[in-house]
Amino acid sequence: AELADRVPLIWLHLAECTGCSESLVRADTPNLDSLIFDHISLEYHETLMAAAGWQAEENLEHALKTYKGNYLLAVEGAVPTANNGAFLTVGCKGHTGLEIVKEAAEGAAAIISVGTCASFGGVQAAAPNPTGAKGIYEVVDKAVVNLGGCPPSEKNIVGTLMYFIMFGRLPALDMYNRPKWAYGARVHDNCERRGRFDSGEFVEQFGDEGAKQGYCLYKVGCKGPYTYNNCPTERFNHHVSWPVLAGHGCMGCSEPNFWDDMADFEKP
Ligand code: SF4
Ligand code: SF4
Ligand code: F3S
């Protein structure tokens, strides 16, 4: 597609681990090539772009100016706010993540927080949160779509981008601004081990006979009953697997404050 047919996408990396980008590159409907060549113009993405150093910063400044009002802004990572954001500086000019995300938010047609860090602060915001890490929605004046998950699946990322590209608006959102099409159902209600839960067949400890039989993981810490996400139905990595199928309970990673609220991850 011509550049004019593609929606400019600026993807920022703040306080994060790049796991969400790892998820993005496993997209298959459309795959990453089709996404980039047919649907979006990826103007800035620190781990995928060819540019480096000054050139990278110029690309970002150019895109913010040229596509003002028209670009999609995706943010990966929490924003540290303590000491005026000094815990995160990006690039050659010493700008803080806080400054960069606020400036980028001003000209964005829509803002998508990719992952629990950008959505709700994530592990960076776990108590005692020395850097004052926050979700993006807490520092910008616009509506932000939150794609909870550490990471969210590639389908939840690409599906949300494509929804905006195809319909020119954001999808219906839940009380935490997560798209309902992806986060509308409880993990527990679509889990393949749910029949085991209902029959009272539980893994008592990892490696026991019940674990070998695929019993329910509730007693070894599964937080699926408290978590909203489509992991059991959509899975990860081209539909291959998801945490419970792999043998560990859900950790509640798509919920706000999961790191503090859902721990201990291996106890009920
Ligand atoms: Fe990494 Fe998880 Fe944060 Fe994504 S949400 S950047 S996977 S820590
Ligand atoms: Fe529910 Fe977890 Fe048991 Fe699945 S493994 S049925 S999500 S408690
Ligand atoms: Fe996260 Fe639970 Fe899905 S830990 S990846 S919401 S199964």
Side-chain angles (χ1 to χ4, degrees):
E2 295 296 315
L3 180 60
D5 299 332
R6 291 183 280 146
V7 176
L9 173 68
I10 295 173
W11 182 297
L12 298 178
H13 293 253
L14 302 182
E16 48 88 7
C17 80
T18 310
C20 294
S21 289
E22 285 285 347
S23 190
L24 171 72
V25 298
R26 282 156 187 78
D28 61 354
T29 46
N31 65 21
L32 189 68
D33 302 6
S34 168
L35 185 70
I36 289 178
F37 293 122
D38 300 329
H39 303 292
I40 63 169
S41 173
L42 189 57
E43 296 295 321
Y44 187 85
H45 185 297
E46 285 162 17
T47 44
L48 295 179
M49 66 190 177
W54 294 106
Q55 195 192 354
E57 290 202 36
E58 275 170 25
N59 287 357
L60 178 58
E61 286 165 17
H62 172 81
L64 290 174
K65 218 182 294 164
T66 311
Y67 304 114
K68 197 171 172 90
N70 297 315
Y71 59 82
L72 265 174
L73 176 66
V75 185
E76 180 175 357
V79 57
T81 62
N83 292 8
N84 269 333
F87 289 100
L88 174 70
T89 58
V90 183
C92 318
K93 296 180 183 167
H95 290 148
T96 65
L98 185 59
E99 288 169 334
I100 295 169
V101 77
K102 280 185 166 188
E103 188 192 347
E106 273 176 30
I111 307 173
I112 299 171
S113 280
V114 183
T116 294
C117 298
S119 298
F120 312 118
V123 65
Q124 287 71 254
N129 191 5
T131 67
K134 291 186 174 174
I136 304 310
Y137 81 92
E138 296 180 87
V139 303
V140 302
D141 297 333
K142 289 184 178 163
V144 178
V145 178
N146 290 325
L147 301 183
C150 185
S153 73
E154 71 283 6
K155 294 179 195 68
N156 292 2
I157 301 170
V158 173
T160 303
L161 293 174
M162 289 305 297
Y163 190 101
F164 184 82
I165 290 165
M166 289 166 65
F167 301 115
R169 60 186 159 84
L170 299 173
L173 304 173
D174 74 2
M175 63 188 286
Y176 296 123
N177 275 13
R178 299 176 298 194
K180 282 187 183 168
W181 66 266
Y183 299 89
R186 203 165 57 136
V187 168
H188 187 57
D189 293 332
N190 289 315
C191 177
E192 62 258 29
R193 300 191 191 212
R194 177 59 185 267
R196 303 294 195 173
F197 177 93
D198 292 343
S199 310
E201 294 172 332
F202 295 102
V203 176
E204 301 290 339
Q205 61 179 43
F206 289 110
D208 70 6
E209 195 49 38
K212 288 176 197 153
Q213 300 296 326
Y215 285 8
C216 170
L217 297 162
Y218 182 74
K219 289 189 178 174
V220 286
C222 183
K223 302 299 185 288
Y226 320 113
T227 305
Y228 289 77
N229 205 340
N230 54 3
C231 314
T233 48
E234 296 301 328
R235 300 182 177 176
F236 287 75
N237 297 332
H238 303 238
H239 217 83
V240 170
S241 191
W242 69 290
V244 168
L245 179 58
H248 195 283
C250 168
M251 296 161 77
C253 79
S254 51
E255 300 302 310
N257 303 320
F258 84 100
W259 199 265
D260 289 331
D261 294 351
M262 302 282 191
D264 184 326
F265 296 123
E266 296 189 348
K267 293 211 175 92

